[in-house]
Every structure is written in structure tokens, then in C-alpha cells.
Amino acid sequence: MNPLAATSQDSVRSAVKVGLLGGLGYIFVSAVGMVEGLGEKNVIDPILSLGYLMLIWVGLWAGHRAGAGALPGDGVSVVGRVWLGIVAGVTGGLLASAFLIWINTFVVREVFTNISPALIELLNLRQGLGTGVAVAIGGGALLGGAGAAIGTLTPLMRRALTGSFLWVLIVGFLEVILSQIFREIDLGVFLAFLIVGVTSWILLRNFGDSQRVLLGGLLAAFVVGVLVSQALSEVNLGLRFIPDFAYINRVGGRALTLSAAAIVFLVAFAATVLFDGRRRAMRARLAALEPAERQKWAFGLVGVFVGLGVFLPMILGSVVNELLSTTGLFLLMGLGLNIVIGYAGLLDLGYVAFFAVGAYTMAILTSTSTARNWAPELSFWEALPFVVLAAVVAGILVGTPVIRMRGDYLAIVTLGFGEIARILFLSEWFSGVTGGALGVTKIPPIELGFYTVKGTDTQAVLYLVLAFVALAAFVSYRLQDSRIGRSWMAMREDEEVAETMGVNIVKAKLLAFVMGAILAGVGGALFAVKFGTIFPASFSIIVSITVLVLIIVGGMGNIPGVAVGALVMIGILGGSNSSGLLREFAEFKLLIYGALMLYMMLNRPEGLLPSKRLARELHQEEAVQDAWLQGEIEQGEED
Amino acid sequence: MSLLKIVRLHKDFGGVIAINALDFHVDEGEIVSVIGPNGAGKTTVFNLITGMQAPDSGEILFEGETIIGLTPDVLTGRGIARTFQNVRVFANMTVLENVMVAQHCRTSKGAVSAIFRTAGFRREEEEIRERAAEVLSFFGTRLVGYRFDQPAFMLSYANRRRLEVARAIATQPKVVLLDEPTAGMNPSETREMTELIGRLRDDRGITVVVIEHEMKVVRDVSDRVVVLDHGEQIAEGSYEEVTSDENVIEAYLGRPARAH
């Protein structure tokens, strides 16, 4: 009996279609060079490289879609769904084989530069074309069936399975951070975490109502924690055997060993299944919390982040600290742009201008280089007020001409301003002060009195950046929830009406530009000190775009959202001229940016962690429907 | 002395004359209805008074002083508020926030005091909140309680109109211009709104100018009716006088066919 007979023609057709899409995915991933480029990097040694992972993912996806394509009403059984997945897999495999035969027979490298002999070797599993074709079709069928089978599991099992696999990948990718932590962690930091954690737990439990007691207690705990961490920083906990066991050195970087991967998978799987009930209960309890209680726990959460900010840099090592300080700089700019776009609704595409103004002001005023005509050689703290002042002036200069512009026009004009700023700093005309194309060198480190923060001292730089980020987040938060913040919001909704309601549009817009400019300017000043040298080339349009993308991906108008956006875009993927945690993907960064933006716009336009307001705005219809279903809205009162 | 006085006002849009040599005045404590067929220029008059558009010639005097050339926010500060014909509440802000924003020109605390949460700032925020709640209670139970924190787009059409009126009141105006406040409302909601317009003056001492198509409302609320057609005032007087005026009947119904 043919198990496919029970399925409708439509679902078979859609399975074939999904299969073809999967086949195209295989060809695309191979032809852009991902399979080969990422082939060196082993995720799980020796069985899974990142390159193969891309192909496997395509197969699983196609199978899953094909299986899920049959509607519940179709009466398709579990076996039928798996067969649909297999149909999709084989279809994709056939298309992939056609591709394989083509690239094995002809030399196409002149046009498709990434289709190299090495790639063909990889796709053939180094065994010749026959094996390649067999693997493409057989593997396609296997993966398609597996993908469809996963779709038929209970939600819990599905989550456990995919979640655990995700954990394995995360542990594999976080090798740099995890090995560093396990190697470096000392008794001091460990005890500090313990002290702060336990104290805040006790405080929140028993004295949650008195902010004064809470703050005082937490502060005391932090002070004790820092002292303890300093005093006992020499006593290593001796956990280095964990990374030594879990990771193995390979050509493409350190990879997770098979046994470690299995342990991670099993632990994650067991945890998901065993603690499912507890997780649900927790979630229900969180949802039912009173606003006052909720605020208390939000306070606790802020405490946790402060704790991580204070103690983590001590053990993260220079690579990760460097990564995090770059992320912090972009986060600082993101917070500023969030005020301009997220709060006030002014689409500014030339934001990099303010960053450049801040960086150049700091550089020019502090640099000790003799190459230029004018060098006052101030210290960081003497120059900082001038940085703020320059940012304010720049904000007003950019803001004034565009007061009456909206939307697209505003975007285009500000885009121009961004370029103008870069070209001005580059020009020969000002080169006596700005150094022209050579930039400004010898920007001195920051004197704190008791400590000198050198740009190369990644840990100190990170602390400094984090302090400014905390300050910026605090300012943003306070402004948002105030008379000024409300007038920005109203302006974003309907400028004309806001004006008739008494909001001075000129003042409100200029203030938004100026606040945004100050945050970017301070970011620029830190950037200048961190690198010690600045060039006009660092302030290109791509910086503006990156900052814009990070607040869109994270969630416009929401401070934690911007932080998440910065972590994902800069920390993980890597910014415009820095590489992120996934260094392997650096070559494909722009491709991934594009794919990510497309995905976000289609499926989650409000960002990963949106503000309530934005989520509402983009899902108005759903919100109204929900409210209607709950009887909260009256549809035209009866007479 | 008139609170609001319009003298020989003229406005055209690229050859189309919207307002032509218009004269009219509003006395303090009056409720004046502005009526007229579609395209008569009623909303344009409101736009000119509130500074959203600039007249080509003529004079607008508010409390005896010219207000031509002032921006809408300054005029709101002077005491002129309005609602819109096509309801324009801030849809994604909550009901309470809508009314809080409207107090912008009656409050003063800026960015610095907001960042440091000074005592003055906290006091002012508290006042803004209380006043917003008070204004919303003007509509009975319609916009209070759980509605405070509901986004405005969730409100029914009639409630959005009420919210617009609330927002206008919250600016603490001397005169409020209501642009078709009962459009799209059912008869009972219209009656309620009619009564509210009366209370605006009686309880709060606000002078009201209202554009209205519903003749029953015009009859019930107006001290005086001004009729516009083609940007000119064609009649003025009490409801009874105006409705029996031949020019008005002609403007609405057309010239009666002459018997042969």
C-alpha cells in the first residue's frame, strides 16, 4: 500500500515545491562559498563542521515545512507526514545532484569564483561524484524525513530536541568566552558573585518595600564583593580541566568534542523535560505579579546586570572584553539614535556625523602629536565638556535646516549631512587642525587620578564604556517618562496635532537632535581614546546604517531592546569594522545582515525586544481583536 | 469686547477661494455654531484661527490683539484649543497620556529636571496626572478607570471623539473650536455630546465655537448661528432667524424654480 495515497495531491505538490526551494538553498549556500569557507570550523569534532551544518539545516527545514504543509484537516497520518518530508528531501536532493553533476563536469570557476575544487571535494565527501550524488539524495531523504518527524512530536519533545541542539551549538560557539571564564575564574570573583547574589536575594525578600534599605544594602554588598574579589584574585578555582576536556584544537579553531557535545545535549534535554512543569508555573506566577511586586523584581534584574557588569570583565579576558567594549560604544550610539528615531520619530541617517564630531573634538583637543598646527593638549576630563558642547552645536546645526522636513526627505537630507561631516574632516582645507586623510594620532590615555586607562587595557576601557552606557540608559529612561518624552511621543504620532496641543515642534525636535548628538559625541570621544588614533575613513555611512539596523533589530523605543540589538549585531555578528563573536561569518556579514533584516521585517517588525507601544502599533488589529474577544471594547453603544 | 474677532479674512488655495472677505466675531461666554454646506470653508476658518494655515489678507484678533503669524503651539498657550473633524487622537498613546500631553504648554519642567527627578518635577508630574484624571471624569465613567491605560486606538469611535474634547479641555483654553463633534455618533451619543457642549460653558466657562451639520444639535446648543457659503458669511442670528433666512435656504436647497 502506498502511504502517500492517503495524502492529498496538494500537499504532495507543496512538498515538491518546498523540496525545490531546499535544493536551491543547497546550491546557494554552496555557491556563495559558505560551505567551503565555514568547512574548516568544526562545531563538534570530528563529525560536524559549520559548513555541513548549513547544508543539514537546509534539509531539515525543507522536511519540516513539507510535513507541516499538510493541514490537520487533510487527515494525513504521522507516517504520511514523514513521507511528505522524504518527498521534499529527495526532490531537493535531485536538484542538488544536478548541480553536483554540473560542477563536476564543467569548470565554472571563472564565473562562479566560489565553486572551487575544494568545494567539490567537500560536497563529494572526497569520494567522487557518485558518492556526492548518493549523499545528496539519500541525505536529503533522511533529513527531510527527520525534519518532518520532528514536526509531528509533541510540543514539549520538539522544544526539548531543538533546544538541546541549540545549546550544543551555543556552547560550541562560545568556546572563547567559556574557556576563558573557566580558566580565569578565581575564588575572589566567585565569592563576590555569591556575596552580592545572596545579599540581594535576602534584601529583596525581606526589605523590598524600602528603596533606601535596598540601595544601601546592595551598595554595601558590591563594595564588599569588589574588596573580596581583589583580595582573593590569586586563588584560581582550578576549573581549567573543564574546557580542556570539552574543546579540542583544530585547524579552523577550537571545537567541541563529541563526548562533551553529547553531555551538553543530554543535560539540556533532561532539564527541559524535567523542569517543564516548574517553568510553566514560574511563568504563570510572573504574569500574575502585582505591579509593585513586578517593579521589585525588575529592580532585582537591574541589580543582576550591574553585578555582571562589575565582576564579569575581571574574568572575561582581553578578546571578549574588547568585543564588549566595541558593543558598548555602538550601544551608546544606539541609545542616542533611539532618542532621535525611537522617541521623537525623526529618521536620521547621518548619525555618524555626531560620532565623528565627538571623536575629532576629543582627538584634536587632547592629541600630543606635533604634526598639526593647533594642539591644546588638554586632558580627557578637560576636553569632555567641549565634546558635549561641540555635539550640542552639531545637533543644532543639523537640526535647524530640517525642522520642517518629515520622513523620506528628512532621511535623505541627514544622509547628506553625514557624508558632509566626513568629507569636511578629510579635506585639505582643515588639515592643519584635523590632519586630513592622515587623521589625528597620539591621543593620550585617560587619567583617573588613581589609575590610567590606556586604550590597550581592554578591561579598564570596558569599565569606562559600561559606566557611560549606564549613564546614557539612565538619562534615556528618565527622559522617556517625562513631559519632554511625552511631547516627543506625540510628535512621532502626529506632528501637526502635537503642535495644536501646545508642543513647540522646533524646540522638541532640536532637543531630540541635541540629546542624540551628545550621546553619539561621547561615544566618539571614547572611541578616540580607545584607539588612540582616528581617521576620517572610520566615520563612513556604514556606521549610521549599522546603528540604525541594531535599534531596528533590537526593538526601537525600548532600552533593553537596543542593548539586545547591539549584542546581536555588534557582539555576535560584528560591526562595520570590527569582528564579532562569530568570526567565521565575517566574510558573509553583509549577507547575514540582509537576511536578518528581511526576516525581521517579515516576521517580527517590532524587533527582538520591542517597547510595548511599538508592538501595539505594529499589531493594532490583533490588539483590537483580542480586546474585543475579551469584551473590553464596546462596538457602538446601544441607544 | 469680542473674545475673537475676524475682519475681512481672505484665503485662497491656488485660485480656489476658500474664505472671502469674512467678518465674524465671538463674544466671551457664547456658544456659536458655524454651519454651511460642504466646502463652505468652515474647517478652513478653524485652521486659520489656530495658526495651522496663514490667511492671505485680513485680520484675526484674539482678546483684542492680532494673532496672525503666531504658531499653533503659541496660540494654544494663549487659550485657543480645537478638535478635528477626522478624529486625530494619538492612537498609540494611552488615554491618560493623550490628555497629559495636552497640558504641555501649561507646564514647564525641562530635560534637566526630568533627568534629576527634582522635587519640582515630581510635583508637576503629579499635578499633570491629577488634572488629566479630572478632565477625563468630565465624561462620567466613559473614559476613567481601566481606560486610563488603554491605547487610544482601542476606543470606540464615540469615545475617541470624547477623548479629543478632553484633550482640548486639558489645554485650559478660553475658547474651544469643535469641528463636527457629533459626526458619526448615534442619537443617544449625540444627545450626550450636546449636553456636554452646554456644560463646557456653564461648568468651565469656556467659550465654544462649533461646526455642526446636525441641525438638532445646532438648535439646542447655539446662542448664535453663523452661516457660511463659498467662504462668505451669508447669514447670522439666532437659530430661528437663520433657518428662515432665504439666503440660507437657497444655499442648502438651491434656488426655487420660478413659475412660468
Side-chain angles (χ1 to χ4, degrees), chain B residues 112-235:
Chain B
V112 176
S113 52
I115 291 168
F116 292 106
R117 289 282 132 110
T118 57
F121 173 86
R122 273 175 295 169
R123 205 178 316 119
E124 191 183 87
E125 279 293 288
E126 195 49 43
E127 279 168 20
I128 292 173
R129 208 167 278 275
E130 274 168 18
R131 211 174 301 141
E134 187 268 323
V135 167
L136 285 169
S137 69
F138 187 63
F139 302 89
T141 55
R142 295 236 187 245
L143 292 175
V144 296
Y146 72 98
R147 291 239 183 259
F148 279 178
D149 298 319
Q150 227 172 23
F153 69 76
M154 281 208 180
L155 297 179
S156 69
Y157 189 74
N159 268 340
R160 284 189 220 188
R161 283 225 174 271
R162 293 185 189 110
L163 180 56
E164 273 221 323
V165 176
R167 218 168 48 173
I169 303 174
T171 65
Q172 303 175 27
K174 295 189 176 110
V175 56
V176 60
L177 316 176
L178 305 175
D179 200 342
E180 299 200 22
T182 69
M185 285 188 171
N186 68 28
S188 77
E189 290 164 350
T190 304
R191 270 199 305 279
E192 197 185 310
M193 185 55 86
T194 311
E195 185 205 329
L196 278 175
I197 295 172
R199 276 177 54 211
L200 275 180
R201 176 187 54 185
D202 301 339
D203 298 359
R204 296 183 168 256
I206 301 172
T207 306
V208 180
V209 183
V210 53
I211 293 175
E212 191 48 70
H213 279 301
E214 186 70 52
M215 291 314 276
K216 240 168 89 185
V217 179
V218 175
R219 187 192 64 203
D220 290 347
V221 302
S222 334
D223 296 324
R224 199 150 56 82
V225 181
V226 173
V227 189
L228 299 189
D229 190 25
H230 295 110
E232 294 175 52
Q233 177 179 317
I234 56 169

Side-chain angles (χ1 to χ4, degrees), chain A residues 81-440:
Chain A
R81 279 175 199 277
V82 173
W83 271 106
L84 283 176
I86 294 176
V87 167
V90 171
T91 316
L94 285 172
L95 189 60
S97 310
F99 171 73
L100 275 178
I101 293 169
W102 179 56
I103 59 173
N104 272 281
T105 322
F106 302 102
V107 177
V108 292
R109 238 194 135 173
E110 281 173 26
V111 184
F112 302 97
T113 44
N114 281 319
I115 301 182
S116 62
L119 171 73
I120 298 171
E121 284 281 286
L122 270 177
L123 292 180
N124 288 345
L125 297 184
R126 300 191 173 80
Q127 309 279 323
L129 177 59
T131 319
V133 169
V135 165
I137 297 175
L142 212 65
L143 289 170
I150 291 173
T152 63
L153 293 173
T154 63
L156 175 62
M157 286 310 279
R158 197 165 50 203
R159 211 178 47 233
L161 210 60
T162 49
S164 314
F165 188 64
L166 208 64
W167 271 113
V168 173
L169 290 186
I170 290 174
V171 173
F173 277 123
L174 291 186
E175 180 273 320
V176 185
I177 298 183
L178 292 179
S179 336
Q180 187 74 35
I181 289 180
F182 281 119
R183 244 180 255 141
E184 292 285 316
I185 194 161
D186 52 59
L187 193 60
V189 172
F190 181 74
L191 283 179
F193 270 122
L194 212 62
I195 291 169
V196 172
V198 170
T199 331
S200 42
W201 178 255
I202 294 171
L203 283 171
L204 271 177
R205 274 263 137 136
N206 303 315
F207 305 98
D209 309 321
S210 162
Q211 289 228 338
R212 206 160 288 175
V213 177
L214 263 182
L215 275 177
L218 276 180
L219 205 64
F222 270 115
V223 172
V224 174
V226 170
L227 289 178
V228 168
S229 69
Q230 289 307 313
L232 297 174
S233 65
E234 296 304 314
V235 191
N236 194 291
L237 279 185
L239 294 175
R240 74 178 308 149
F241 70 93
I242 295 177
D244 285 348
F245 160 75
Y247 300 105
I248 187 164
N249 273 320
R250 281 289 175 253
V251 186
R254 285 161 64 83
L256 204 58
T257 56
L258 195 55
S259 36
I263 290 173
V264 171
F265 186 88
L266 287 178
V267 169
F269 192 88
T272 318
V273 175
L274 290 179
F275 295 124
D276 183 56
R278 189 167 290 190
R279 198 182 62 97
R280 274 160 200 268
M282 194 88 126
R283 202 168 260 197
R285 243 176 60 198
L286 269 179
L289 274 183
E290 295 286 312
E293 279 287 291
R294 196 185 292 252
Q295 204 176 358
K296 203 167 102 181
W297 289 108
F299 192 82
L301 205 64
V302 172
V304 169
F305 279 112
V306 173
L308 291 178
V310 169
F311 297 115
L312 267 190
M314 295 177 185
I315 50 172
L316 281 179
S318 60
V319 176
V320 179
N321 279 341
E322 168 81 24
L323 214 67
L324 284 178
S325 33
T326 312
T327 309
L329 280 180
F330 272 88
L331 175 54
L332 203 54
M333 283 199 279
L335 287 172
L337 194 61
N338 181 47
I339 291 180
V340 183
I341 300 184
Y343 294 174
L346 307 164
L347 185 50
D348 180 357
L349 292 187
Y351 195 60
V352 68
F354 304 133
F355 183 61
V357 165
Y360 265 99
T361 310
M362 177 55 71
I364 291 167
L365 293 180
T366 61
S367 165
T368 54
S369 129
T370 49
R372 296 166 307 117
N373 301 338
W374 190 65
E377 300 191 19
L378 301 181
S379 75
F380 178 84
W381 300 108
E382 286 164 346
L384 199 58
F386 291 102
V387 168
V388 173
L389 193 71
V392 170
V393 171
I396 292 173
L397 274 182
V398 171
T400 311
V402 299
I403 285 292
R404 290 287 155 195
M405 289 178 194
R406 279 172 219 178
D408 321 2
Y409 304 101
L410 179 67
I412 294 294
V413 173
T414 48
L415 190 71
F417 275 125
E419 278 298 276
I420 289 172
R422 186 177 62 86
I423 292 169
L424 278 183
F425 286 123
L426 183 62
S427 73
E428 271 306 301
W429 206 32
F430 293 118
S431 61
V433 180
T434 63
L438 298 175
V440 184

Side-chain angles (χ1 to χ4, degrees), chain A residues 33-75:
Chain A
M34 272 193 175
V35 173
E36 189 200 344
L38 307 176
E40 292 265 287
K41 168 75 182 174
N42 276 347
V43 187
I44 305 169
D45 188 81
I47 53 164
L48 185 64
S49 79
L50 199 52
Y52 285 133
L53 183 68
M54 304 298 293
L55 294 180
I56 289 173
W57 181 81
V58 168
L60 283 175
W61 170 83
H64 181 72
R65 282 302 291 266
L71 297 170
D74 289 359

